[in-house]
Amino acid sequence: MSSESPLAGTAEAPPASARFTRLVLAIVAVLAVLVVGLGAANALRGPRVLDTVAGLGDATRLAGTTIEFRLNQPVADLDASAVRVDPATDATVSVDDRTVRVAFAAPLRPSQDYVVEVAGVRAVGGGPESALRHEFRTADEVLHVLQRRADGDDTVVRVATGAGEPEVVLAAPRIESFAHAGDVIAAIELLDDGANAIRIAAAGQEGPPASLALPQSGDVRNLQASTTRPLLGFVQDGVGGFATLHVLDVADGVTATPQPVLGLDGSPMSVDDYAFVPGTSSLVVRDRDGAMFLVDAAGVRPSTPLGSHTELRGILPGTSTVVVADPDRGATIDLATGETSTLELPPADLPDGAYPGRVTSLDLAGAHLLNVLIFDGSDGGQASLVARADADGTSVVFAPAEGSAVLDHCLAPGGTLVAVETGAVGAPNDGYEDEPWVADTITTLVEVDTGRIVLSLAGGRSDWCG
C-alpha cells in the first residue's frame, strides 16, 4: 500500500484571502479603464446638458425670464456673443459653476416659437466646445373686451391670440367697466337707480355672477387688476370727496373681502389714482394731494414715499418703472432704487393738420405710441391712426378703414401688442350716463413693432385699458 497522500502531485489551492485580493485588483483595473475611457469621451465631446429649466410663466408680461441649462461639469465664463435667440431678441448669458443661464431683456411675444442657442461652452479646464439648444413656445395672450347690447345683457368676452372662439365670461344688465385677475372677472354694473355695484365671477362658473359686498356706501370706479398676481382694486367715493382704494386678493376665488389701502398714519388714504406693479404684490398710489407712495397690497411692509407728481401715467411694459408727469417734464421712477429720471420723448414727425392725442410710453429711451387725428381742410374731412415715435423716426402702427376712427389704444402688459379701439365716424354713443362709448366698437389687436394684425373682435374697453 502506498503511503502517498491522495493529493500528491496536485497544486495546492490558494487561500481565500489571496483570491479576494486578486478579484479586487481586477475590479480596480476594470474601473480604471472605464474612468479613463469616460474621461476621454468627456474630453472629446465637452460639457453636456443634464437638465433644462425654463421659467416661462410670465415670459410675455415681464422682462428677465430665464432659461437655465444644468450641465455635468463646471464651465468657463461666456461673453454676450455666445447666445443667439430666434426670432431675434435681446438676451444676456451668465455662468454659475455648472449652470448656464440665459435671461431675456424684454417680455417675449405671445404665441411665438423660440429657439435659444448658446455656442462655445467649454469646461473650466479647457477641452472641446459644446453648443446648447432649447426650443419653446410662449403662451397665448388672452384679450378681454366688453360688448354692450341694446337687446340683452352686456357681456365680457375673452379670446386667445393663438386660436379659439370668443367666450363669454361674465354677463350683467349694464356694465360700465371690468377687470380680470387670472380667471376671476369683476365688473362695475350701473343700476336702475343710478348707483353702481360690483359683480364678480370665476371663468367657467355656472350661474350668474355674485354681487360683491362693498365695505361702505358710495359709487365705485377705477376698477383695475394686477397682470401677474391675483389682485383686484377699486376706488369708492365717500363723504366730502374722500375716495378710498380697496384691494381684493382673489387667489381663493370670488369670496375675498375688500381691504382698504392705508396711509403712513395707518388710516385709509384718499386716492386720486393707482396702478399695480407687475411681478409684485405692490401698488403705486397717488393721493388727492399729489403725493405718491409704493404700497404693499397685503399691508405687511410699510409704504414708501415716491415724491409728489401731477399725474401717474402707469408702468413701463414688463418692468417695475413708473411713468409720471409734471408741468415741466415727464419722468420715470425706478422702484428698485427710488431714482427719478427725466423721460425725454422724441418728437413725432406728423403731417400738417395732425393733432397728437393720448401718449403711451414704451421704454426708457422715450419710444411711445400716440393717437393722431388728421384734418385735411375739407368739411368733415379727417382721419385718425395710431403712430409710434422713437429715436429712429415715426411710423404708423395702425390706420382704420375709411369711415372708421381710432377711439383709444391700450397696450398689452408686455408691450408687444396694442389693442386699438375703432368706431364709425359720427356714430352716436350708447346712451350710458357714465362711461359712454361709440356703438358698434371694434377692438383690433396689433403687433407694436410690425403693425401685423393679430385678431379683431367686436367690443371695446379691453382689460389693458386700466
Side-chain angles (χ1 to χ4, degrees):
M1 176 180 292
S2 171
S3 61
E4 293 182 1
S5 168
L7 297 178
T10 302
E12 186 176 350
S17 60
R19 290 198 303 273
F20 178 75
T21 300
R22 286 202 294 270
L23 177 61
V24 170
L25 291 174
I27 291 172
V28 169
V30 170
L31 290 175
V33 171
L34 288 174
V35 168
V36 171
L38 289 172
N42 283 334
L44 289 173
R45 68 180 178 182
R48 57 190 174 86
V49 177
L50 299 179
D51 190 21
T52 303
V53 178
L56 301 173
D58 289 321
T60 63
R61 298 185 165 220
L62 294 174
T65 295
T66 60
I67 306 291
E68 290 188 354
F69 299 94
R70 298 177 179 176
L71 310 179
N72 67 328
Q73 56 186 304
V75 295
D77 288 338
L78 296 161
D79 61 33
S81 64
V83 64
R84 186 181 74 87
V85 182
D86 185 27
T89 303
D90 290 339
T92 59
V93 62
S94 60
V95 174
D96 180 11
D97 192 38
R98 299 173 182 233
T99 300
V100 174
R101 183 176 295 106
V102 175
F104 300 107
L108 303 179
R109 296 179 185 175
S111 310
Q112 176 71 57
D113 294 312
Y114 282 89
V115 178
V116 177
E117 295 179 319
V118 183
V121 180
R122 180 178 284 146
V124 169
E129 295 180 349
S130 292
L132 315 180
R133 179 185 174 92
H134 182 66
E135 300 180 16
F136 64 93
R137 183 175 179 82
T138 52
D140 295 342
E141 186 60 88
V142 179
L143 175 70
H144 293 70
V145 299
L146 172 60
Q147 295 179 341
R148 285 181 171 166
R149 307 176 187 277
D151 56 353
D153 284 352
D154 295 342
T155 57
V156 177
V157 176
R158 72 177 180 184
V159 64
T161 54
E165 293 297 319
E167 173 191 8
V168 174
V169 291
L170 186 144
R174 301 181 73 190
I175 297 176
E176 290 184 321
S177 61
F178 75 94
H180 84 94
D183 287 332
V184 174
I185 315 292
I188 298 179
E189 180 189 4
L190 181 63
L191 304 178
D192 291 339
D193 62 1
N196 56 18
I198 294 181
R199 305 296 181 190
I200 188 167
Q205 80 172 38
E206 297 182 0
S211 179
L212 182 69
L214 297 175
Q216 61 190 48
S217 60
D219 285 346
V220 290
R221 56 183 173 82
N222 203 353
L223 178 64
Q224 297 187 45
S226 169
T227 59
T228 58
R229 295 288 189 272
L231 297 170
L232 290 164
F234 64 90
V235 175
Q236 188 167 28
D237 293 328
V239 177
F242 196 92
T244 305
L245 171 60
H246 296 275
V247 175
L248 250 37
D249 185 340
V250 293
D252 295 326
V254 301
T255 58
T257 301
Q259 300 295 327
V261 170
L262 306 180
L264 295 175
D265 62 357
S267 60
M269 299 174 65
S270 185
V271 172
D272 174 72
D273 201 3
Y274 72 100
F276 286 99
V277 182
T280 75
S281 59
S282 299
L283 308 88
V284 174
V285 178
R286 181 181 181 276
D287 71 15
R288 300 303 285 268
D289 297 321
M292 286 177 48
F293 302 87
L294 179 64
V295 177
D296 176 28
V300 176
R301 296 185 300 274
S303 299
T304 303
L306 298 174
S308 294
H309 298 280
T310 303
E311 183 182 355
L312 168 61
R313 288 191 170 177
I315 313 287
L316 287 180
T319 75
S320 59
T321 299
V322 182
V323 182
V324 297
D326 291 300
D328 59 339
R329 64 167 184 162
T332 59
I333 305 172
D334 185 339
L335 294 180
T337 64
E339 181 181 359
T340 299
S341 304
T342 297
L343 180 61
E344 299 284 355
L345 300 183
D349 183 14
L350 301 176
D352 292 339
Y355 294 85
R358 180 170 178 249
V359 172
T360 303
S361 294
L362 297 173
D363 58 33
L364 288 170
H368 59 281
L369 300 179
L370 69 161
N371 290 350
V372 180
L373 184 62
I374 304 172
F375 292 94
D376 63 9
S378 62
D379 290 340
Q382 66 181 54
S384 58
L385 52 85
V386 176
R388 175 192 172 110
D390 55 31
D392 295 326
T394 305
S395 59
V396 175
V397 174
F398 179 81
E402 186 176 355
S404 292
V406 172
L407 305 176
D408 202 357
H409 71 263
C410 303
L411 200 62
T416 60
L417 300 172
V418 60
V420 183
E421 296 179 21
T422 58
V425 174
N429 67 44
D430 56 13
Y432 278 47
E433 295 177 8
D434 298 300
E435 304 285 348
W437 66 349
V438 172
D440 301 323
T441 297
I442 301 293
T443 296
T444 303
L445 197 57
V446 184
E447 285 187 349
V448 171
D449 289 341
T450 67
R452 182 179 73 90
I453 293 177
V454 176
L455 59 85
S456 289
L457 185 65
R461 299 287 164 82
S462 83
D463 49 327
W464 305 334
C465 290

